[in-house]
Amino acid sequence: MEKYNLVIVTPDQMRADYLGCYGHKTIGTTHIDRLAENGVRFDNMYCAAPLCGPSRCSFATSTYFSDHNHRNYWSTISPSVPNIVTSLKKVGYTTGMFGKNHLFTYSRLTEIWDNLDEICLGNYDGHPLYKHSYSSFTLDDDHPFNITYRLTTEAINFVENNKDNPFFLWINYQDPHPAFCCPKPYDTMFNPDEIELSEAYKGYDKDSQPVKNEVFRIHSEMDKCTEDEMKQAIAHYMGQIRYVDDNVGRLVEALKEKGQDRKTVFLFFSDHGELLGDYGMTHKNPTFYECLSHIPAILVHPDGRWKNEVFGGLTEEVDMVPTLLDILGVDIPPTMVGKSWVKELDTQDYAGKETILCEAGGGCPTCKEPIEGFKITAPHAPTSFGPGAMIRKGDMKLSVYFDDRCELYDLSSDPYELHNLYENENYKDIRDHLTLLLLKRVMSVKVRDIHQLDWNYPDYPYDVRFEPLESFGEVLEDIRASGDYS
């Protein structure tokens, strides 16, 4: 049997609710929506962590945040940890990655990628117009930060050069990551005056939220952000998404022209979302609101299976790699704890999981008092500290923080998560029930369904876990190599 190719497209910080196929009424993501029409859209997919590096570590290795314990932006893992790239490379796939890494040890990237253009722009640091976390501006066509079109062209060339061999292509776009900037014509594609700010923009109660939120707002000078500036940022964020959408269209069309579309499994997903003004913040922080933790995920099978399907049950980012390897007929390493959904997709059993787990926060206490004179343009330390974990069951969602105010929301009646029920005695039984479930989930992150294990798996002994985080010197070297000092 001929091996399928695999293409993964991962925009950075793209909210699910800003895609047409997830309900946005005006953004017009034609090409991404067409992927959903030709495949299955996971309606309730959650990332493992609402921060780039930890989320990508969880995706590639199919392990949870508290399993791999890489807690912040600069964390990277050794390529010897079982992961999707080496799993495919070992069975003959040619591998290519274009865009930001935020995952593997930078000095060892060439060990796993046959073709590579690694570029991480951080938060567009260094651009003279990037002054606040809500900054928005037009990006010159020839600016070195304008890379989405270039990365897509390189990916198309990779497809052309590997048409006779099974390949794995992964594009990691910077867009729609802040700063909120895009080239023409995307910078004026959406009129800020026609944008309505969400109920969460000013409708939150800072005294019922985690304290870390107010500290982040103060450090990032959100009090200086006017409604007009916020609407302009949203308009440019929408432009960034359309920029991604058009380039997804270019890639899909190239696969068709080269006769590869019927031989290629295609996954589109985002590593996490974006606050985008919700709760008076932009960017992200280690909290678990839907705008951050709920991610888009669309899977297209080359033979047309699961066409125009919607998987409505709860699913997790860690499930995607086992599902992909299952489709490709490649052994799933026993260290991977996610679930393959192939059987359920074939039988249209879309009940999903009973609960989902999302975790975040560096291993330091929460910064509860603003630091005088400290100003940031992104969730730099210490705003990304303060460990926490979230569990969702049905419509109830509990977030527990190590040293901060906890949260409980009923998404059925409070979709914007504005009314914290954690201290409400009427919800005590639900809070206690979810707290116990959350404890069990965190305790069992290393436990894999025994029925999924291949007891004759050839390459990895069953006690293989994660290698220790590299020495601090190696971590600094990786930070310098990535160019991301956030």
Side-chain angles (χ1 to χ4, degrees):
M1 174 181 170
E2 184 179 16
K3 294 179 180 177
Y4 290 135
N5 305 313
L6 174 61
V7 171
I8 299 177
V9 174
T10 306
D12 193 340
Q13 215 145 314
M14 181 180 285
R15 289 173 58 140
D17 60 349
Y18 270 69
L19 296 176
C21 56
Y22 281 88
H24 200 286
K25 296 179 180 179
T26 60
I27 198 164
T29 46
T30 304
H31 305 291
I32 297 170
D33 295 350
R34 190 169 295 128
L35 288 176
E37 292 171 0
N38 289 322
V40 57
R41 170 170 57 86
F42 291 87
D43 211 27
N44 284 293
M45 176 75 71
Y46 284 82
C47 63
L51 293 172
C52 306
S55 172
R56 292 163 190 259
C57 288
S58 288
F59 169 78
T61 62
S62 184
T63 56
Y64 291 100
F65 178 91
S66 53
D67 191 359
H68 59 66
N69 204 34
H70 292 283
R71 292 182 165 269
N72 226 306
Y73 304 101
W74 52 80
S75 297
T76 57
I77 61 174
S78 165
S80 58
V81 174
N83 64 80
I84 185 173
V85 190
T86 55
S87 292
L88 295 180
K89 193 173 176 67
K90 285 180 179 180
V91 295
Y93 278 73
T94 301
T95 60
M97 196 280 286
F98 304 94
K100 69 187 300 181
N101 171 42
H102 257 273
L103 174 56
F104 297 112
T105 307
Y106 279 85
S107 60
R108 298 182 62 184
L109 289 180
T110 55
E111 295 179 24
I112 56 175
W113 297 110
D114 299 309
N115 295 89
L116 177 68
D117 182 10
E118 200 289 322
I119 180 168
C120 179
L121 303 177
N123 304 291
Y124 295 87
D125 302 294
H127 197 290
L129 296 178
Y130 181 51
K131 298 178 180 180
H132 293 95
S133 62
Y134 54 87
S135 292
S136 63
F137 48 86
T138 299
L139 199 58
D140 294 337
D141 287 342
D142 59 352
H143 197 282
F145 289 178
N146 181 19
I147 60 172
T148 295
Y149 188 92
R150 187 191 95 194
L151 294 176
T152 307
T153 300
E154 292 173 347
I156 292 171
N157 291 337
F158 173 84
V159 171
E160 173 64 29
N161 295 334
N162 292 282
K163 57 187 177 183
D164 298 324
N165 191 57
F167 61 78
F168 169 32
L169 164 65
W170 195 355
I171 308 178
N172 288 295
Y173 291 125
Q174 178 84 10
D175 291 313
H177 194 288
F180 302 108
C181 59
C182 46
K184 296 179 182 300
Y186 303 98
D187 60 332
T188 57
M189 198 168 281
F190 301 97
N191 185 352
D193 294 334
E194 297 176 356
I195 290 174
E196 293 185 9
L197 298 174
S198 81
E199 291 182 33
Y201 178 61
K202 287 187 175 180
Y204 65 93
D205 175 13
K206 71 179 181 66
D207 294 323
S208 68
Q209 286 191 334
V211 176
K212 68 178 71 179
N213 288 355
E214 182 63 9
V215 172
F216 184 29
R217 283 187 282 263
I218 293 171
H219 284 168
S220 55
E221 300 183 292
M222 288 303 299
D223 61 315
K224 295 183 179 180
C225 181
T226 67
E227 290 193 11
D228 286 343
E229 287 175 313
M230 193 67 252
K231 290 179 179 181
Q232 181 61 71
I234 294 173
H236 276 174
Y237 182 78
M238 294 168 68
Q240 289 175 303
I241 292 175
R242 280 289 292 272
Y243 192 20
V244 169
D245 184 68
D246 282 350
N247 280 281
V248 167
R250 290 180 61 214
L251 177 61
V252 170
E253 187 60 32
L255 289 168
K256 290 180 180 178
E257 290 178 356
K258 302 177 192 314
Q260 297 285 357
D261 58 314
R262 291 302 175 190
K263 298 191 294 183
T264 301
V265 177
F266 200 112
L267 173 66
F268 177 93
F269 85 103
S270 179
D271 55 354
H272 56 80
E274 158 66 43
L275 286 160
L276 202 62
D278 287 356
Y279 319 108
M281 297 180 284
T282 57
H283 230 297
K284 65 212 171 215
N285 69 350
T287 56
F288 306 102
Y289 304 112
E290 290 292 286
C291 58
L292 292 177
S293 59
H294 179 215
I295 59 173
I298 300 167
L299 177 62
V300 181
H301 195 287
D303 69 4
R305 290 158 69 184
W306 323 320
K307 187 173 182 178
N308 206 23
E309 294 289 333
V310 177
F311 195 119
L314 296 174
T315 51
E316 299 176 304
E317 180 183 24
V318 296
D319 300 332
M320 295 313 301
V321 164
T323 301
L324 292 172
L325 294 179
D326 196 357
I327 294 170
L328 298 173
V330 177
D331 290 329
I332 302 172
T335 53
M336 293 187 175
V337 297
K339 174 181 174 57
S340 168
W341 291 109
V342 170
K343 179 180 177 181
E344 286 78 3
L345 287 167
D346 283 341
T347 59
Q348 295 186 315
D349 175 7
Y350 299 152
K353 292 183 170 180
E354 179 187 21
T355 63
I356 63 92
L357 174 68
C358 187
E359 304 167 271
C364 296
T366 298
C367 179
K368 296 182 179 179
E369 295 291 338
I371 301 169
E372 186 175 356
F374 182 65
K375 305 300 179 185
I376 55 177
T377 54
H380 303 300
T383 60
S384 56
F385 295 151
M390 179 270 280
I391 189 169
R392 176 180 172 181
K393 180 181 180 182
D395 288 321
M396 299 305 300
K397 182 176 174 183
L398 172 72
S399 298
V400 174
Y401 299 99
F402 163 67
D403 59 352
D404 207 340
R405 199 176 280 132
C406 300
E407 298 176 288
L408 176 67
Y409 297 106
D410 182 351
L411 297 178
S412 63
S413 60
D414 184 21
Y416 290 103
E417 298 167 280
L418 297 175
H419 306 291
N420 187 359
L421 304 171
Y422 189 82
E423 301 292 346
N424 189 322
E425 284 302 306
N426 294 329
Y427 288 83
K428 181 180 183 301
D429 289 345
I430 294 175
R431 182 188 70 204
D432 292 347
H433 173 65
L434 290 178
T435 300
L436 179 60
L437 288 181
L438 178 58
L439 175 62
K440 290 182 176 182
R441 284 298 313 266
V442 173
M443 289 175 64
S444 65
V445 292
K446 300 177 188 292
V447 180
R448 184 173 173 186
D449 184 348
I450 192 171
H451 300 294
Q452 294 188 67
L453 289 174
D454 177 1
W455 297 100
N456 297 306
Y457 191 82
D459 293 327
Y460 303 112
Y462 286 92
D463 60 351
V464 167
R465 300 310 306 169
F466 283 76
E467 295 184 359
L469 185 65
E470 295 88 353
S471 71
F472 189 62
E474 289 176 308
V475 171
L476 288 177
E477 181 182 346
D478 267 6
I479 295 172
R480 294 190 190 99
S482 71
D484 183 5
Y485 294 87
S486 57

